[in-house]
Structure formats: structure tokens, C-alpha cells
Amino acid sequence: MQYVKISVSLPNCSELERDTLIYYLSEAGCDSFETDESASMLYAYISKTIYNPQSLNEVLDGYACSVEDMEDKDWNEEWEKSGFTPIVIDNRCVICGSNHTDVPDAEYRITINPKMSFGSGHHQTTASMLRWLLRDNFQGKRVLDMGCGTAVLGILASMRGASEVDGIDIDEWSVRNARENCALSGVNMNISLGDAALLASQGKTYNAIFANINLNILLRDMETYCAVLEPKGVLYMSGFYTSDLPQLSRRAKRLGLEYLGSIENEDWVAAKFMKL
């Protein structure tokens, strides 16, 4: 799949403004985001097949930005060049690439080729969600990995004894990559292309839902997650900052969710809520 890269200059931008812009860019079809070290540049990626300059121009009005086509390249090779190395979570779970040979021993070994998908375990949010998976009991539970990316969360849930694991992602590339990674790791997951709207049509409910996305999408889709969460089921959310937790918790409380705690990693949070 060929992508278009949109580079947006955000000097002196607040976290709220950046998250709001990401929300509207995602609504316009962008499915992957990253920033530079100073967070003064935002990079958004959109499939060339759905790229609509007019829609994006409306979102980016007033921002200095540039657009470039990205060549259709071997993303495994790119990740290798960028230094994707094995990572160990809490001395119990190792995430590595299929090309890695010197891999530490661990109770759980997840093998992935991340390509362009988010979720190698190196980002603070993914690492924190993996820690929740290692701490809590998922034996015999039905689990949803929402916005699954590489599917590392769903893969670990399966390894931890979940009876059924579903993954959903809005990016066709991520869906293919998630399926490849499940095969590499030797687990079964049901991976579907779509967004939260897909949940209503599936007619399924879950004991646990993982959503590692971003604040605005979590706020928008939390009600949909709650609708398919069993009573006493648990919703794990990440992709937001410590300063965002009060806002997210207020929204969760209005929807009948009880805050059970969080794991913080630098300024990032992975929060746990139970449906009453």
C-alpha cells in the first residue's frame, strides 16, 4: 500500500491542540501519527487510495504543512534500519522480529514484523498496556484489541489464556500485518477491518477491551466500547497523557465505569476501568 506523508509544523503547540488536530486528521482518513523529539512537528500518514486534498486542506487551514508521496517500500527493512530491537516487558514477555537471533529468554515470546503498524512495545503506551496484560487474569475471557496495529496486545491476551481474541483496525495495512504477526507468534485472532462502528454489527460482547489509540477517539468511542462490554468487564485505555486522565475518568464515570487504577510511564498513562 502506498502512503502520503503530511508534515505539520506545530511550534508552541499545546497537547490539547495537537490531540484535537490528530482527531480531525483521523476523521479525514489519516491512520498513523508521530512527532519529532521536540513535538514541534506532527507527521500524519494516509493511504494514497483515500487521500483527499480538499478534505485535508479544510482540517489544516492555518497550519504550515507539506505533503509528499511515500514510496511503496519494504517496511520490515525500514524497521530494521531504524533500530527495532527485542524489548522485554517486566522480565516476562519479549517482543522480537522474525529476523532477530539473539533474543532474551522470557515466559512469553511475541514475534512480529511491525512494518508500518503501531505497536512494537517500545512506545510507553504499548509497554504499559502489556504490563496490564501480565498483571491481570485473562483465562477463558473474550478479549477485544481495538485499534490493534501489530496485534501485540491481542497476541499476549491469547498467550495468557483468553478463550477468544478479536482485533479491529481502521488501516488495511495493519490488518494484514496483524494477521501475519499472529501466524508468526502461533496464536489465533479474528482480525477485522473497521472502526468502533463495526462493534454494533458484530453482535458480540467482551470481558476485556484494550484500546490504545488517542484521547479524542477514546472520548468519542467509549460509549460504543461500553455497549459491548459485559457487566464487571474491564476496559483498558491508553494513548493519552497524565493530564488527560481526569477528563477521561469523568467521561467513563458518566458511562457507568469505575476507575480501578493506572500505570504511568513518563507522561503517558494506561488506565483501567470496570463496567458496573
Side-chain angles (χ1 to χ4, degrees), residues 91-222:
N91 296 316
R92 295 182 63 196
C93 175
V94 62
I95 302 171
C96 61
S98 61
N99 63 307
H100 293 141
T101 55
D102 187 16
V103 179
D105 290 332
E107 183 179 357
Y108 303 102
R109 175 167 173 163
I110 299 174
T111 304
I112 63 172
N113 287 327
K115 297 186 178 178
M116 202 172 176
S117 303
F118 177 82
S120 67
H122 289 76
H123 194 275
Q124 295 91 331
T125 59
T126 310
S128 293
M129 294 287 255
L130 289 165
R131 289 189 172 96
W132 275 125
L133 275 157
L134 291 170
R135 292 182 186 184
D136 291 352
N137 178 21
F138 295 92
Q139 191 69 39
K141 295 185 178 180
R142 297 185 306 279
V143 176
L144 170 66
D145 183 357
M146 190 71 216
C148 61
T150 59
V152 292
L153 301 182
I155 290 171
L156 184 55
S158 181
M159 291 179 173
R160 295 275 292 147
S163 61
E164 183 177 3
V165 183
D166 292 344
I168 296 175
D169 202 285
I170 197 171
D171 177 21
E172 182 181 340
W173 185 286
S174 291
V175 169
R176 292 200 304 268
N177 184 228
R179 290 171 178 161
E180 293 168 1
N181 293 335
C182 288
L184 287 170
S185 295
V187 304
N188 293 317
M189 275 182 66
N190 308 306
I191 312 292
S192 301
L193 177 67
D195 57 15
L198 185 62
L199 296 174
S201 63
Q202 287 185 328
K204 301 176 71 172
T205 58
Y206 300 94
N207 305 113
I209 297 174
F210 287 84
N212 183 18
I213 308 179
N214 68 58
L215 177 66
N216 291 293
I217 292 179
L218 293 173
L219 291 171
R220 182 193 69 189
D221 292 342
M222 200 186 308

